[in-house]
Amino acid sequence: MKPARIEHQFDYPYTWDQVAYGDWARTQLQTRLDEWLPTLFGYHLLKLGGLSCELVSEQCNIQHQVCVDQHNPMRNVTATHYALPFIEKSFDACVLAHQLDYSDDPHRLLREVDRVMIDDGCLIISGVNPVSFLGVKKVLRGRHQRLPWGGRMFSPLRVKDWLSVMNYEVVEAHQMGLWPTHRPSARHAWVESSASMVTPALGSIYLIIARKRSYPLKPIKPRWKLKQAVSPLGGVVPNGG
């Protein structure tokens, strides 16, 4: 297994137009998000990265939404992903669309997101599944110079393992989109829905919804009791012993 932290710096995409099959991937992801966003409640929603900024979240009950990126024109805060300009525990939910795939230190990125998340906050992560028809194209000649094949492509199981170490409970996980295409059609949608029921693990795009769990330390009273100290009986000591 390759280490999570590397020295190579990525020029991560800040719009879906920079990614091959970007419109198709965004549509696949948006369809699943439309099911989950209405279930979120709170005061502040963080959309981290340009790809996250371009996802529609108007149906979310959280009204105050902050888009953080360095280049995407839809951002309202300009900052690096490793140093978010927010206090601790300030966001109720966070959308992290394909950001781990272009991070040189994904552990550091997740720790920074965890810092600004409240207890029981919701974290939504998506990425490219390396064991899929889209992921295996990375081995083809010349693909390393194009996105998304120029990214890391961590497996969903590995991302879940990172979340479990950070005390996140995976509420639900999906893998969608078997056949990437530039021109979706009704026939293509029928093939997608039919094949996804047979081979769901081969979906090109994964979506993980996790909750931040905090377990407070509660002192436990000991069951044993201390024995009472033996006290001498009162009496008169005769003179001269």
Side-chain angles (χ1 to χ4, degrees), residues 74-127:
M74 298 182 65
R75 71 188 186 279
N76 46 32
V77 174
T78 303
T80 61
H81 299 174
Y82 297 138
L84 298 176
F86 308 112
I87 62 175
E88 297 181 359
K89 298 184 178 182
S90 54
F91 288 95
D92 301 272
C94 176
V95 178
L96 204 61
H98 288 53
Q99 298 305 300
L100 296 179
D101 291 347
Y102 307 101
S103 174
D104 61 317
D105 193 351
H107 293 170
R108 181 183 175 186
L109 176 59
L110 288 176
R111 287 195 300 268
E112 181 62 12
V113 172
D114 177 72
R115 182 184 67 83
V116 300
M117 289 275 292
I118 68 169
D119 296 339
D120 203 41
C122 183
L123 178 58
I124 301 175
I125 300 178
S126 69

Side-chain angles (χ1 to χ4, degrees), residues 6 13 16 50-51 69 81 87 105 107 110 135 141 147 150 160 177 185 192-193 205 227 229 239:
I6 60 176
W16 290 98
L51 304 183
D69 195 58
H81 299 174
I87 62 175
D105 193 351
H107 293 170
L110 288 176
R141 185 177 181 181
L147 299 178
K160 291 178 184 179
S185 61
E192 283 277 353
S193 60
I205 308 298
K227 296 182 179 180
N239 295 332

Side-chain angles (χ1 to χ4, degrees), residues 11-157:
D11 293 329
Y12 64 90
Y14 58 87
T15 177
W16 290 98
D17 295 335
Q18 296 176 286
V19 182
Y21 305 104
D23 290 338
W24 170 82
R26 176 174 54 184
T27 302
Q28 295 288 330
L29 186 57
Q30 188 69 59
T31 301
R32 288 293 185 179
L33 283 178
D34 290 343
E35 300 174 1
W36 273 96
L37 289 177
T39 65
L40 301 181
F41 295 92
Y43 298 98
H44 309 288
L45 170 67
L46 174 62
K47 298 167 70 175
L48 186 57
L51 304 183
S52 303
C53 296
E54 293 185 348
L55 295 173
V56 179
S57 55
E58 295 178 353
Q59 66 273 35
C60 183
N61 295 304
I62 304 176
Q63 299 299 318
H64 184 232
Q65 302 181 6
V66 181
C67 299
V68 178
D69 195 58
Q70 291 182 308
H71 305 288
N72 192 286
M74 298 182 65
R75 71 188 186 279
N76 46 32
V77 174
T78 303
T80 61
H81 299 174
Y82 297 138
L84 298 176
F86 308 112
I87 62 175
E88 297 181 359
K89 298 184 178 182
S90 54
F91 288 95
D92 301 272
C94 176
V95 178
L96 204 61
H98 288 53
Q99 298 305 300
L100 296 179
D101 291 347
Y102 307 101
S103 174
D104 61 317
D105 193 351
H107 293 170
R108 181 183 175 186
L109 176 59
L110 288 176
R111 287 195 300 268
E112 181 62 12
V113 172
D114 177 72
R115 182 184 67 83
V116 300
M117 289 275 292
I118 68 169
D119 296 339
D120 203 41
C122 183
L123 178 58
I124 301 175
I125 300 178
S126 69
V128 177
N129 180 19
V131 188
S132 64
F133 293 106
L134 179 62
V136 296
K137 289 185 178 181
K138 188 173 183 178
V139 300
L140 299 179
R141 185 177 181 181
R143 293 287 181 174
H144 288 80
Q145 305 300 325
R146 301 178 57 189
L147 299 178
W149 302 287
R152 311 287 305 275
M153 293 188 182
F154 297 108
S155 68
L157 291 177

